[in-house]
Amino acid sequence: MQKAIKHTWHFNQSPQEVWDYLTKPELMEQWLMKSDFKPVVGHKFSFTCTKITYCEVLEVKPFSLLSYSWQANSAVGNKPFNSKVVWTLVPTESGTELQLVHNGFTVLEDYAGHDKGWTTLGKQLVELLSTIKT
């Protein structure tokens, strides 16, 4: 099994404004998790919640593309698994389309758990950005 999570959200804000919520730790913490993220290729960072997720920045194209590795423990057997998160920002007439692809899942439980998590986190980001005036 090799499944990918795919989500798309729409915002009234510009790609630059949405980018800030994907790359500034103090803003990421408001909807995602606490981290020591820096948008620099090769930077190793972690997300901290109930568990720690270890990551490394793989690609940065300001205001359009961000990707990083995602290493966490599996829901099955607590074994580490490696996956990849890719954010793509597409300018639209009304703001920004934000696309998420998180792939590399080999266990259904990991896929399902992360898909549910991204659904919830995406809603939080939509709510947060809806309070920001454009």
Side-chain angles (χ1 to χ4, degrees):
M1 179 199 107
Q2 183 78 337
K3 289 196 97 160
I5 295 167
K6 296 179 182 180
H7 290 285
T8 301
W9 300 279
H10 298 274
F11 301 96
N12 293 328
Q13 289 75 19
S14 69
Q16 292 84 351
E17 292 170 294
V18 176
W19 179 261
D20 285 347
Y21 283 83
L22 299 176
T23 61
K24 293 184 176 180
E26 67 277 11
L27 297 177
M28 294 168 75
E29 187 174 352
Q30 291 180 32
W31 70 277
L32 185 53
M33 287 179 266
K34 186 174 181 162
S35 77
D36 53 343
F37 179 84
K38 291 180 186 173
V40 175
V41 173
H43 176 67
K44 294 181 180 179
F45 67 100
S46 59
F47 285 115
T48 306
C49 192
T50 54
K51 296 180 179 180
I52 297 177
T53 302
Y54 298 98
C55 305
E56 182 176 346
V57 177
L58 303 173
E59 190 172 7
V60 177
K61 292 182 182 175
F63 317 124
S64 63
L65 182 82
L66 174 66
S67 71
Y68 42 84
S69 64
W70 181 281
Q71 182 180 1
N73 286 331
S74 175
V76 177
N78 208 29
K79 295 179 183 176
F81 74 90
N82 294 306
S83 57
K84 181 179 177 182
V85 173
V86 179
W87 297 100
T88 305
L89 295 88
V90 180
T92 65
E93 286 184 20
S94 61
T96 304
E97 178 181 281
L98 178 62
Q99 303 166 356
L100 164 73
V101 176
H102 188 170
N103 61 24
F105 296 98
T106 56
V107 175
L108 182 59
E109 290 83 355
D110 293 332
Y111 168 83
H114 282 82
D115 189 38
K116 182 179 178 184
W118 284 121
T119 299
T120 301
L121 292 169
K123 286 178 185 176
Q124 288 177 213
L125 181 59
V126 167
E127 289 173 14
L128 179 62
L129 283 171
S130 72
T131 66
I132 311 261
K133 294 185 180 185
T134 57

Coordinates of all heavy atoms in Angstrom, one line a residue, residues 12-99:
N12 N -8.7 33.9 0.9 CA -8.8 35.3 0.3 C -7.5 36.0 0.3 O -7.3 37.0 -0.4 CB -9.9 36.1 1.0 CG -11.3 35.6 0.8 OD1 -11.6 35.0 -0.3 ND2 -12.1 35.7 1.7
Q13 N -6.6 35.5 1.1 CA -5.3 36.1 1.2 C -4.3 35.8 0.1 O -4.5 34.8 -0.6 CB -4.6 35.7 2.5 CG -5.2 36.3 3.8 CD -6.5 35.6 4.2 OE1 -6.8 34.5 3.7 NE2 -7.3 36.3 5.0
S14 N -3.3 36.6 -0.1 CA -2.3 36.4 -1.2 C -1.5 35.2 -0.8 O -1.4 34.8 0.4 CB -1.5 37.6 -1.3 OG -0.7 37.8 -0.2
P15 N -0.8 34.6 -1.8 CA 0.2 33.6 -1.5 C 1.2 34.0 -0.5 O 1.6 33.2 0.4 CB 0.8 33.3 -2.9 CG -0.2 33.6 -3.9 CD -0.9 34.8 -3.3
Q16 N 1.7 35.3 -0.5 CA 2.7 35.7 0.5 C 2.1 35.6 1.9 O 2.8 35.2 2.8 CB 3.1 37.2 0.1 CG 3.9 37.3 -1.1 CD 3.0 37.4 -2.4 OE1 1.8 37.2 -2.4 NE2 3.6 37.7 -3.5
E17 N 0.8 36.0 2.1 CA 0.2 36.0 3.4 C 0.0 34.5 3.9 O 0.3 34.2 5.0 CB -1.1 36.7 3.4 CG -1.0 38.2 3.2 CD -2.3 38.9 3.0 OE1 -2.9 38.6 1.9 OE2 -2.7 39.7 3.9
V18 N -0.4 33.6 3.0 CA -0.6 32.2 3.4 C 0.8 31.6 3.6 O 0.9 30.8 4.6 CB -1.3 31.5 2.2 CG1 -1.4 30.0 2.6 CG2 -2.7 32.1 2.0
W19 N 1.8 31.9 2.8 CA 3.2 31.4 3.0 C 3.6 31.7 4.4 O 4.3 30.8 5.0 CB 4.1 32.1 2.0 CG 5.5 31.7 2.1 CD1 6.5 32.4 2.7 CD2 6.1 30.5 1.5 NE1 7.7 31.7 2.5 CE2 7.5 30.6 1.8 CE3 5.6 29.5 0.8 CZ2 8.4 29.6 1.4 CZ3 6.5 28.5 0.4 CH2 7.8 28.5 0.7
D20 N 3.4 32.8 5.0 CA 3.8 33.2 6.3 C 3.3 32.1 7.3 O 4.0 31.8 8.3 CB 3.3 34.6 6.8 CG 4.1 35.7 6.1 OD1 5.2 35.4 5.5 OD2 3.6 36.8 6.2
Y21 N 2.1 31.6 7.1 CA 1.5 30.6 8.1 C 2.0 29.2 7.9 O 1.8 28.4 8.7 CB -0.1 30.7 8.0 CG -0.6 31.8 8.7 CD1 -0.7 33.1 8.1 CD2 -1.0 31.7 10.0 CE1 -1.2 34.2 8.8 CE2 -1.5 32.8 10.7 CZ -1.6 34.1 10.1 OH -2.1 35.2 10.8
L22 N 2.8 29.1 6.8 CA 3.5 27.8 6.5 C 4.9 27.8 6.9 O 5.6 26.8 7.0 CB 3.4 27.4 5.1 CG 2.0 27.2 4.4 CD1 2.2 27.0 3.0 CD2 1.3 26.1 5.1
T23 N 5.5 29.0 7.2 CA 6.9 29.1 7.4 C 7.4 29.9 8.6 O 8.6 29.8 9.0 CB 7.6 29.8 6.1 OG1 7.0 31.1 6.0 CG2 7.4 29.0 4.9
K24 N 6.5 30.6 9.3 CA 6.9 31.3 10.5 C 6.5 30.6 11.7 O 5.3 30.4 11.9 CB 6.3 32.8 10.5 CG 6.9 33.6 9.4 CD 6.4 35.0 9.5 CE 7.1 35.9 8.5 NZ 6.6 37.3 8.6
P25 N 7.4 30.1 12.5 CA 7.1 29.2 13.7 C 6.0 29.8 14.6 O 5.1 29.0 15.0 CB 8.4 29.0 14.4 CG 9.4 29.2 13.4 CD 8.9 30.3 12.4
E26 N 6.0 31.1 14.8 CA 5.0 31.6 15.7 C 3.6 31.6 15.1 O 2.6 31.5 15.8 CB 5.4 33.1 16.1 CG 5.3 34.1 15.0 CD 6.6 34.2 14.2 OE1 7.5 33.3 14.3 OE2 6.7 35.2 13.4
L27 N 3.5 31.6 13.8 CA 2.2 31.5 13.1 C 1.8 30.1 12.9 O 0.7 29.7 13.0 CB 2.2 32.3 11.8 CG 2.5 33.8 11.9 CD1 2.6 34.4 10.5 CD2 1.4 34.5 12.7
M28 N 2.8 29.2 12.6 CA 2.6 27.8 12.5 C 2.0 27.2 13.7 O 1.1 26.4 13.7 CB 3.9 27.0 12.1 CG 4.4 27.4 10.7 SD 6.1 26.8 10.5 CE 5.8 25.1 10.2
E29 N 2.5 27.7 14.9 CA 2.0 27.2 16.2 C 0.6 27.5 16.4 O -0.1 26.7 17.1 CB 2.9 27.7 17.3 CG 2.6 27.1 18.6 CD 3.6 27.6 19.7 OE1 4.6 28.3 19.4 OE2 3.3 27.3 20.9
Q30 N 0.0 28.5 15.8 CA -1.4 28.9 16.0 C -2.3 27.9 15.4 O -3.5 27.8 15.8 CB -1.6 30.3 15.4 CG -0.9 31.4 16.2 CD -1.2 32.7 15.5 OE1 -2.3 33.0 15.0 NE2 -0.3 33.6 15.7
W31 N -1.9 27.1 14.4 CA -2.8 26.2 13.7 C -2.2 24.8 13.5 O -3.0 23.8 13.5 CB -3.2 26.7 12.3 CG -2.1 26.7 11.3 CD1 -1.2 27.6 11.2 CD2 -1.9 25.7 10.3 NE1 -0.3 27.3 10.1 CE2 -0.7 26.1 9.6 CE3 -2.5 24.5 10.0 CZ2 -0.2 25.3 8.6 CZ3 -2.0 23.7 9.0 CH2 -0.9 24.1 8.3
L32 N -0.9 24.7 13.5 CA -0.3 23.4 13.3 C 0.3 22.8 14.5 O -0.4 22.1 15.3 CB 0.8 23.5 12.2 CG 1.5 22.3 11.6 CD1 0.5 21.2 11.2 CD2 2.4 22.7 10.5
M33 N 1.5 23.1 14.8 CA 2.2 22.6 16.0 C 3.4 23.5 16.3 O 3.8 24.3 15.4 CB 2.7 21.2 15.8 CG 1.7 20.1 15.8 SD 2.4 18.4 15.6 CE 2.3 18.3 13.8
K34 N 3.9 23.4 17.5 CA 5.1 24.1 17.9 C 6.2 23.5 17.1 O 6.3 22.3 16.9 CB 5.3 24.0 19.4 CG 6.5 24.8 19.9 CD 6.6 24.7 21.4 CE 7.8 25.6 21.8 NZ 7.7 26.0 23.2
S35 N 7.1 24.4 16.6 CA 8.3 23.9 15.8 C 9.4 24.8 15.9 O 9.3 26.0 16.3 CB 7.9 23.6 14.4 OG 7.8 24.8 13.7
D36 N 10.6 24.4 15.4 CA 11.7 25.2 15.2 C 12.1 25.3 13.7 O 13.2 25.3 13.3 CB 12.9 24.7 16.0 CG 13.2 23.2 15.7 OD1 12.4 22.5 15.2 OD2 14.3 22.8 16.1
F37 N 11.0 25.5 12.9 CA 11.1 25.5 11.5 C 11.8 26.7 11.0 O 11.7 27.8 11.5 CB 9.7 25.5 10.9 CG 9.7 25.5 9.4 CD1 9.8 24.3 8.7 CD2 9.5 26.7 8.7 CE1 9.8 24.4 7.3 CE2 9.6 26.7 7.3 CZ 9.7 25.6 6.6
K38 N 12.6 26.5 9.9 CA 13.2 27.6 9.1 C 13.1 27.2 7.6 O 13.4 26.1 7.3 CB 14.7 27.8 9.4 CG 14.9 28.4 10.8 CD 16.4 28.5 11.1 CE 16.6 28.9 12.5 NZ 18.0 29.0 12.9
P39 N 12.6 28.1 6.8 CA 12.5 27.8 5.4 C 13.8 27.8 4.6 O 14.0 28.5 3.7 CB 11.5 28.8 4.8 CG 11.8 30.0 5.7 CD 12.1 29.5 7.1
V40 N 14.7 26.9 5.0 CA 16.0 26.7 4.4 C 16.2 25.3 4.1 O 16.1 24.4 5.0 CB 17.1 27.2 5.5 CG1 18.5 27.0 4.9 CG2 16.9 28.7 5.8
V41 N 16.5 25.0 2.8 CA 16.8 23.6 2.4 C 17.9 23.0 3.3 O 18.9 23.6 3.5 CB 17.2 23.5 0.9 CG1 17.6 22.1 0.5 CG2 16.0 24.0 0.0
G42 N 17.6 21.8 3.8 CA 18.5 21.1 4.6 C 18.3 21.3 6.1 O 18.9 20.6 7.0
H43 N 17.5 22.3 6.5 CA 17.3 22.6 7.9 C 16.5 21.4 8.5 O 15.4 21.0 8.0 CB 16.5 23.9 8.1 CG 16.1 24.2 9.5 ND1 17.1 24.5 10.5 CD2 14.9 24.2 10.1 CE1 16.4 24.7 11.6 NE2 15.1 24.5 11.4
K44 N 17.0 20.9 9.6 CA 16.3 19.8 10.4 C 15.5 20.5 11.5 O 16.1 21.3 12.2 CB 17.3 18.8 10.9 CG 18.0 18.1 9.7 CD 19.0 17.0 10.2 CE 19.6 16.4 9.0 NZ 20.5 15.4 9.3
F45 N 14.3 20.1 11.6 CA 13.4 20.7 12.7 C 12.5 19.6 13.2 O 12.4 18.5 12.6 CB 12.7 21.9 12.1 CG 11.7 21.5 11.0 CD1 10.3 21.5 11.3 CD2 12.1 21.3 9.7 CE1 9.4 21.1 10.3 CE2 11.1 21.0 8.7 CZ 9.8 20.9 9.0
S46 N 11.7 20.0 14.2 CA 10.7 19.0 14.7 C 9.4 19.8 15.0 O 9.4 21.0 15.2 CB 11.2 18.3 15.9 OG 11.5 19.3 16.9
F47 N 8.3 19.0 14.9 CA 7.0 19.5 15.4 C 6.8 18.8 16.7 O 7.0 17.6 16.8 CB 5.9 19.1 14.4 CG 5.9 19.9 13.1 CD1 6.1 19.3 11.9 CD2 5.6 21.2 13.2 CE1 6.1 20.1 10.8 CE2 5.5 22.0 12.0 CZ 5.8 21.4 10.8
T48 N 6.3 19.5 17.7 CA 6.1 19.0 19.0 C 4.6 19.1 19.3 O 4.0 20.1 19.3 CB 6.9 19.7 20.1 OG1 8.3 19.7 19.7 CG2 6.8 19.0 21.4
C49 N 4.0 17.9 19.7 CA 2.6 17.9 20.1 C 2.7 16.8 21.2 O 3.5 16.8 22.1 CB 1.7 17.5 18.9 SG 0.0 17.7 19.3
T50 N 1.8 15.8 21.1 CA 1.9 14.7 22.1 C 3.0 13.8 21.8 O 3.6 13.1 22.6 CB 0.6 13.9 22.1 OG1 0.3 13.5 20.8 CG2 -0.6 14.7 22.6
K51 N 3.4 13.8 20.5 CA 4.6 13.1 20.0 C 5.5 14.1 19.3 O 5.1 15.1 18.9 CB 4.2 12.0 19.1 CG 3.4 10.9 19.7 CD 3.0 9.8 18.7 CE 2.2 8.7 19.4 NZ 1.9 7.6 18.4
I52 N 6.7 13.7 19.0 CA 7.6 14.5 18.3 C 7.7 14.0 16.8 O 7.9 12.8 16.7 CB 9.0 14.6 18.9 CG1 8.9 15.3 20.3 CG2 10.0 15.4 18.0 CD1 10.2 15.3 21.0
T53 N 7.6 14.8 15.9 CA 7.8 14.5 14.5 C 9.1 15.1 14.0 O 9.2 16.4 14.1 CB 6.6 15.0 13.6 OG1 5.4 14.4 14.1 CG2 6.8 14.6 12.2
Y54 N 10.0 14.4 13.4 CA 11.3 14.9 12.9 C 11.2 15.1 11.4 O 10.6 14.3 10.7 CB 12.4 13.9 13.2 CG 12.6 13.7 14.7 CD1 12.0 12.6 15.4 CD2 13.3 14.6 15.5 CE1 12.1 12.4 16.7 CE2 13.4 14.4 16.9 CZ 12.8 13.3 17.5 OH 12.9 13.2 18.8
C55 N 11.7 16.3 11.0 CA 11.5 16.7 9.6 C 12.8 17.3 9.1 O 13.7 17.7 9.9 CB 10.4 17.8 9.5 SG 8.8 17.3 10.2
E56 N 12.9 17.4 7.8 CA 14.0 18.2 7.1 C 13.4 18.9 5.9 O 12.7 18.3 5.1 CB 15.1 17.2 6.7 CG 16.3 17.9 6.1 CD 17.4 17.0 5.7 OE1 17.5 15.9 6.2 OE2 18.3 17.5 5.0
V57 N 13.8 20.1 5.8 CA 13.3 20.9 4.6 C 14.0 20.4 3.4 O 15.2 20.3 3.3 CB 13.6 22.4 4.8 CG1 13.1 23.2 3.6 CG2 12.9 22.9 6.1
L58 N 13.2 20.0 2.4 CA 13.7 19.5 1.1 C 13.7 20.5 0.0 O 14.6 20.5 -0.9 CB 12.8 18.3 0.7 CG 12.7 17.1 1.7 CD1 11.7 16.1 1.3 CD2 14.1 16.5 2.0
E59 N 12.7 21.3 -0.1 CA 12.6 22.3 -1.2 C 11.8 23.5 -0.7 O 10.8 23.5 0.0 CB 11.8 21.6 -2.4 CG 11.8 22.4 -3.6 CD 11.3 21.7 -4.8 OE1 10.7 20.6 -4.6 OE2 11.3 22.2 -5.9
V60 N 12.3 24.7 -1.2 CA 11.7 26.0 -0.8 C 11.7 26.8 -2.1 O 12.7 27.1 -2.7 CB 12.5 26.7 0.3 CG1 11.9 28.1 0.5 CG2 12.6 25.9 1.5
K61 N 10.5 27.2 -2.5 CA 10.3 28.2 -3.6 C 9.3 29.2 -3.0 O 8.1 28.9 -3.0 CB 9.7 27.5 -4.9 CG 10.7 26.6 -5.6 CD 10.1 26.0 -6.8 CE 11.0 25.0 -7.5 NZ 10.4 24.4 -8.6
P62 N 9.9 30.3 -2.5 CA 9.0 31.2 -1.7 C 7.7 31.6 -2.4 O 7.7 31.8 -3.6 CB 9.9 32.5 -1.6 CG 11.3 31.9 -1.6 CD 11.2 30.8 -2.6
F63 N 6.7 31.5 -1.7 CA 5.3 31.9 -2.0 C 4.7 30.9 -3.0 O 3.6 31.1 -3.5 CB 5.2 33.3 -2.6 CG 6.0 34.3 -1.8 CD1 7.0 35.0 -2.4 CD2 5.8 34.4 -0.4 CE1 7.7 36.0 -1.7 CE2 6.5 35.3 0.3 CZ 7.5 36.1 -0.3
S64 N 5.4 29.7 -3.4 CA 4.8 28.8 -4.3 C 4.9 27.3 -3.9 O 4.0 26.6 -4.2 CB 5.3 29.0 -5.7 OG 6.7 28.8 -5.8
L65 N 6.0 26.9 -3.3 CA 6.2 25.5 -3.0 C 7.1 25.3 -1.8 O 8.1 26.0 -1.6 CB 6.9 24.8 -4.2 CG 7.1 23.3 -4.0 CD1 5.8 22.6 -4.3 CD2 8.2 22.8 -4.9
L66 N 6.7 24.4 -0.9 CA 7.5 24.0 0.3 C 7.3 22.5 0.5 O 6.2 22.0 0.4 CB 6.9 24.8 1.5 CG 7.5 24.4 2.9 CD1 9.0 24.8 2.9 CD2 6.8 25.1 4.0
S67 N 8.4 21.8 0.7 CA 8.3 20.4 1.0 C 9.3 20.1 2.1 O 10.4 20.7 2.2 CB 8.6 19.6 -0.2 OG 9.9 19.6 -0.6
Y68 N 8.9 19.1 2.9 CA 9.8 18.5 3.9 C 9.5 17.1 4.2 O 8.4 16.6 4.0 CB 9.7 19.4 5.2 CG 8.4 19.8 5.7 CD1 7.6 19.0 6.4 CD2 7.9 21.1 5.4 CE1 6.3 19.4 6.9 CE2 6.7 21.5 5.9 CZ 5.9 20.7 6.6 OH 4.7 21.1 7.1
S69 N 10.6 16.4 4.7 CA 10.4 15.0 5.1 C 9.6 15.0 6.4 O 9.6 16.0 7.1 CB 11.7 14.3 5.3 OG 12.5 15.0 6.3
W70 N 9.0 13.9 6.7 CA 8.2 13.8 7.9 C 8.4 12.4 8.5 O 8.0 11.4 7.9 CB 6.7 14.0 7.5 CG 5.7 13.9 8.6 CD1 5.1 12.8 9.1 CD2 5.0 15.0 9.1 NE1 4.2 13.1 10.0 CE2 4.0 14.5 10.1 CE3 5.0 16.4 9.0 CZ2 3.2 15.3 10.8 CZ3 4.2 17.2 9.7 CH2 3.3 16.6 10.6
Q71 N 9.1 12.3 9.6 CA 9.4 11.0 10.2 C 8.7 11.0 11.6 O 9.0 11.8 12.4 CB 10.9 10.8 10.4 CG 11.2 9.4 11.0 CD 12.7 9.2 11.2 OE1 13.5 10.0 10.9 NE2 13.0 8.0 11.7
A72 N 7.8 10.0 11.7 CA 7.1 9.8 13.0 C 7.0 8.3 13.3 O 7.4 7.5 12.5 CB 5.7 10.4 12.8
N73 N 6.5 8.0 14.4 CA 6.3 6.6 14.8 C 5.0 6.1 14.3 O 3.9 6.8 14.4 CB 6.4 6.4 16.3 CG 7.8 6.5 16.7 OD1 8.8 6.2 16.0 ND2 8.0 6.9 18.0
S74 N 4.9 4.9 13.7 CA 3.7 4.3 13.2 C 2.7 4.0 14.3 O 3.1 3.7 15.4 CB 4.1 3.0 12.4 OG 2.9 2.4 12.0
A75 N 1.5 4.1 13.9 CA 0.4 3.7 14.8 C 0.4 2.2 15.0 O -0.2 1.7 16.0 CB -1.0 4.1 14.2
V76 N 1.1 1.5 14.1 CA 1.1 0.0 14.2 C 2.6 -0.4 14.6 O 3.5 -0.2 13.8 CB 0.7 -0.7 12.9 CG1 0.9 -2.2 13.0 CG2 -0.7 -0.3 12.5
G77 N 2.7 -0.9 15.7 CA 4.1 -1.4 16.2 C 5.0 -0.3 16.6 O 6.2 -0.5 16.9
N78 N 4.6 1.0 16.6 CA 5.4 2.1 17.0 C 6.7 2.2 16.2 O 7.7 2.7 16.8 CB 5.6 2.1 18.5 CG 5.8 3.5 19.1 OD1 5.3 4.4 18.5 ND2 6.5 3.6 20.2
K79 N 6.8 1.7 15.0 CA 8.0 1.7 14.2 C 8.0 3.1 13.5 O 7.0 3.6 13.0 CB 8.0 0.6 13.2 CG 8.1 -0.8 13.8 CD 8.1 -1.8 12.8 CE 8.1 -3.2 13.4 NZ 8.0 -4.3 12.4
P80 N 9.2 3.6 13.3 CA 9.4 4.9 12.6 C 9.0 4.7 11.1 O 9.2 3.6 10.5 CB 10.8 5.2 12.6 CG 11.4 4.3 13.6 CD 10.5 3.2 13.8
F81 N 8.3 5.7 10.5 CA 8.0 5.7 9.1 C 8.4 7.0 8.5 O 8.4 8.0 9.2 CB 6.6 5.3 8.8 CG 5.6 6.4 9.0 CD1 5.3 7.3 8.1 CD2 5.0 6.5 10.3 CE1 4.3 8.3 8.3 CE2 4.0 7.5 10.5 CZ 3.7 8.4 9.6
N82 N 8.8 7.1 7.3 CA 9.2 8.3 6.6 C 8.2 8.6 5.5 O 7.8 7.8 4.8 CB 10.6 8.1 6.0 CG 11.7 7.9 7.0 OD1 11.8 8.7 7.9 ND2 12.5 6.9 6.9
S83 N 7.8 9.9 5.5 CA 6.9 10.3 4.5 C 7.3 11.7 4.1 O 8.4 12.3 4.5 CB 5.5 10.3 5.0 OG 5.4 11.1 6.2
K84 N 6.6 12.3 3.2 CA 6.9 13.7 2.6 C 5.7 14.5 2.6 O 4.6 14.1 2.1 CB 7.5 13.5 1.2 CG 8.0 14.8 0.6 CD 8.6 14.5 -0.8 CE 9.0 15.7 -1.5 NZ 9.5 15.4 -2.9
V85 N 5.8 15.8 3.0 CA 4.8 16.8 3.0 C 5.1 17.8 1.9 O 6.3 18.3 1.9 CB 4.6 17.5 4.3 CG1 3.6 18.6 4.2 CG2 4.2 16.5 5.4
V86 N 4.2 18.1 1.0 CA 4.4 19.1 -0.1 C 3.3 20.1 0.0 O 2.1 19.7 -0.1 CB 4.5 18.5 -1.5 CG1 4.7 19.5 -2.5 CG2 5.6 17.4 -1.5
W87 N 3.6 21.3 0.1 CA 2.6 22.4 0.1 C 2.8 23.2 -1.2 O 4.0 23.6 -1.6 CB 2.9 23.4 1.2 CG 2.7 22.9 2.6 CD1 3.7 22.5 3.5 CD2 1.4 22.7 3.3 NE1 3.1 22.1 4.6 CE2 1.7 22.2 4.6 CE3 0.1 22.9 2.9 CZ2 0.8 21.9 5.5 CZ3 -0.9 22.6 3.9 CH2 -0.6 22.1 5.1
T88 N 1.8 23.4 -2.0 CA 1.8 24.2 -3.2 C 0.8 25.3 -3.1 O -0.4 25.1 -2.8 CB 1.5 23.3 -4.4 OG1 2.4 22.2 -4.5 CG2 1.6 24.1 -5.7
L89 N 1.3 26.5 -3.3 CA 0.4 27.7 -3.3 C 0.2 28.2 -4.7 O 1.1 28.4 -5.5 CB 1.1 28.8 -2.5 CG 1.3 28.5 -1.0 CD1 2.6 27.8 -0.7 CD2 1.2 29.8 -0.2
V90 N -1.1 28.3 -5.1 CA -1.4 28.7 -6.4 C -2.2 30.0 -6.3 O -3.3 30.1 -5.7 CB -2.3 27.7 -7.1 CG1 -2.7 28.1 -8.5 CG2 -1.6 26.3 -7.2
P91 N -1.7 31.1 -6.9 CA -2.5 32.4 -6.9 C -3.8 32.2 -7.7 O -3.8 31.6 -8.7 CB -1.6 33.4 -7.6 CG -0.3 32.7 -7.9 CD -0.5 31.2 -7.7
T92 N -4.8 32.8 -7.2 CA -6.1 32.8 -7.9 C -6.6 34.3 -7.9 O -6.1 35.2 -7.3 CB -7.2 32.0 -7.1 OG1 -7.4 32.5 -5.8 CG2 -6.7 30.5 -7.0
E93 N -7.7 34.5 -8.7 CA -8.3 35.8 -8.8 C -8.7 36.3 -7.4 O -8.7 37.5 -7.1 CB -9.4 35.8 -9.7 CG -9.0 35.8 -11.2 CD -10.2 35.9 -12.1 OE1 -11.3 36.4 -11.7 OE2 -10.1 35.4 -13.3
S94 N -9.2 35.4 -6.5 CA -9.7 35.8 -5.2 C -8.7 35.6 -4.1 O -9.1 35.9 -2.9 CB -11.0 35.1 -5.0 OG -10.7 33.7 -4.9
G95 N -7.5 35.1 -4.4 CA -6.6 34.9 -3.3 C -5.6 33.8 -3.6 O -4.7 33.9 -4.4
T96 N -5.7 32.7 -2.8 CA -4.8 31.6 -2.9 C -5.4 30.2 -2.8 O -6.3 30.1 -1.9 CB -3.7 31.7 -1.8 OG1 -3.1 33.0 -1.9 CG2 -2.6 30.6 -1.9
E97 N -5.0 29.3 -3.6 CA -5.4 27.9 -3.5 C -4.2 27.2 -2.8 O -3.1 27.3 -3.4 CB -5.7 27.3 -4.8 CG -6.1 25.8 -4.7 CD -6.4 25.2 -6.0 OE1 -7.5 25.3 -6.5 OE2 -5.5 24.5 -6.5
L98 N -4.4 26.6 -1.7 CA -3.3 25.9 -1.0 C -3.6 24.4 -1.2 O -4.6 23.9 -0.8 CB -3.3 26.2 0.5 CG -2.2 25.5 1.3 CD1 -0.8 25.9 0.8 CD2 -2.4 25.9 2.8
Q99 N -2.6 23.7 -1.7 CA -2.7 22.2 -1.9 C -1.7 21.5 -1.0 O -0.5 22.0 -0.9 CB -2.4 21.9 -3.4 CG -3.2 22.6 -4.4 CD -2.7 22.5 -5.8 OE1 -1.6 22.0 -6.1 NE2 -3.5 23.0 -6.8

